[in-house]
Amino acid sequence: MLKNQDKIFHFYEKGDPAIVGIYPLCTGNPIERPYRHYYEARTLEKYLPQGNFSMLEIGCGAGRWAFEFAHRLTRYLGLDLSTSQIAYAQEKARRKGLEHLSFFPVSIEDYILAKQNDGIQPGAKDQKFDVVYFSAMSPYLEDAVWLELLEKVKAFLNKKSLLVERTTTGVGKRIVYDQDNYYAVYRTDEEIVDILVRAGFGVPKITRSYPFLASSRFTRSRWFRYALNPLLCLNKKTVWELMRRFFSVGEDCYILENGNLFDHKFFVCTL
C-alpha cells in the first residue's frame, strides 16, 4: 500500500498527463521537460536489451516510456492507480494504432490476483518480461512494503531480465518530504542497494538520469526559453545539446532544496 495514498493520488490526478513524471527538477523552466526526457531516454536506452523487448511498467502514468520505445516493444503492460493517466495512455495508444501496448488502472497486486482468478499464474511463460520498470514508485512505499513488492515482481522476470528503478534519492541522508499535497521518502543510494540485494537481486548499476541544469536567474526565466525557441523550430536535438554543453552543472552537483541534497538516478539490476 502507498504511504499517504490520498496525498499522492491528489498530486498525480491533478497533473497534466502530457508532462506528468517529467518535471523540471532543477530550473522549474518548462523547456527543461523535453530536455530531461531526451537525455533520460538516451540514458535508459544504454541499459535496455538489444533489439526488441517486452516490458512491464509499474507506475506507468500516461505511458511516457511505452510511447518512447513503442517501435521496439513486442509487448508492453503498464499499470498505474491513476485513472486519468491511464485513460490518457489508452486513448493515445488507440489513436496511434499501437495494439501491443496495454494499460490498466490497477496495482500490481490486484493485477496478479485478477490473473490468478482467471487461472493464470504470474510465473507463466507469457507473463514473463525482458524489463520490469519501477517508475519512481519506491519513494511512496515503506521499506517492508517495497521488499514484499519486489518479491512478487520476481515472478515476472527471467534470469536475464532487467529490473529498473528510476527514483529521486537523498544525498547523504534519508529525506522525508511531507507537504500538504505530497509525501515521499527519498532513500540514499546505499539504502536502495541494500533493499534490492535483500530482495534477491544483484548489486545494481547506478547512473544519474540526465545532466542537471544550473539553476540560475537566467535558466529559470522565460528569456531562457525565448532565446532557444527559434532554434527549437529548426532542430530540437541541437537545442538539448547546447543546453547540456553550456548550462549543465556536471556530475558533482545536486538539487538543493530546503537545505537537503537530492539526486535523480536509474538503478538497474538482474536476479
Side-chain angles (χ1 to χ4, degrees), residues 199-217:
F201 292 90
V203 176
K205 295 178 181 178
I206 308 171
T207 185
R208 174 170 287 165
S209 64
Y210 75 103
F212 286 172
L213 296 174
S215 181
S216 65
R217 181 176 294 181

Side-chain angles (χ1 to χ4, degrees), residues 120-141:
I120 303 172
Q121 294 302 317
K125 187 176 180 179
D126 65 346
Q127 293 294 301
K128 299 284 188 179
F129 293 86
D130 299 314
V131 178
V132 172
Y133 187 96
F134 276 90
S135 192
M137 278 288 297
S138 63
Y140 309 129
L141 304 172

Side-chain angles (χ1 to χ4, degrees), residues 183-197:
Y183 179 91
V185 176
Y186 300 125
R187 300 174 176 87
T188 64
D189 288 7
E190 293 77 14
E191 288 178 311
I192 293 172
V193 170
D194 177 65
I195 289 176
L196 289 170
V197 171

Side-chain angles (χ1 to χ4, degrees), residues 152-212:
K152 292 178 179 178
V153 162
K154 286 159 72 173
F156 295 92
L157 295 163
N158 296 306
K159 287 189 176 180
K160 293 183 179 180
S161 299
L162 294 176
L163 178 82
V164 181
E165 162 73 2
R166 178 185 64 84
T167 190
T168 304
T169 63
V171 178
K173 64 177 180 179
R174 183 187 187 99
I175 299 167
V176 177
Y177 199 77
D178 194 356
Q179 295 184 328
D180 291 340
N181 64 343
Y182 191 70
Y183 179 91
V185 176
Y186 300 125
R187 300 174 176 87
T188 64
D189 288 7
E190 293 77 14
E191 288 178 311
I192 293 172
V193 170
D194 177 65
I195 289 176
L196 289 170
V197 171
R198 283 164 57 194
F201 292 90
V203 176
K205 295 178 181 178
I206 308 171
T207 185
R208 174 170 287 165
S209 64
Y210 75 103
F212 286 172

Side-chain angles (χ1 to χ4, degrees), residues 1 7 11 32 36 80 98-99 106 111 126 128 135 156 168 195 204 209 214 227 232 248 255:
M1 179 177 290
K7 286 186 180 183
F11 181 82
E32 188 182 337
R36 171 184 166 180
D80 200 287
L98 300 172
E99 297 180 358
V106 296
Y111 175 80
D126 65 346
K128 299 284 188 179
S135 192
F156 295 92
T168 304
I195 289 176
S209 64
L232 278 172
S248 68
I255 306 168

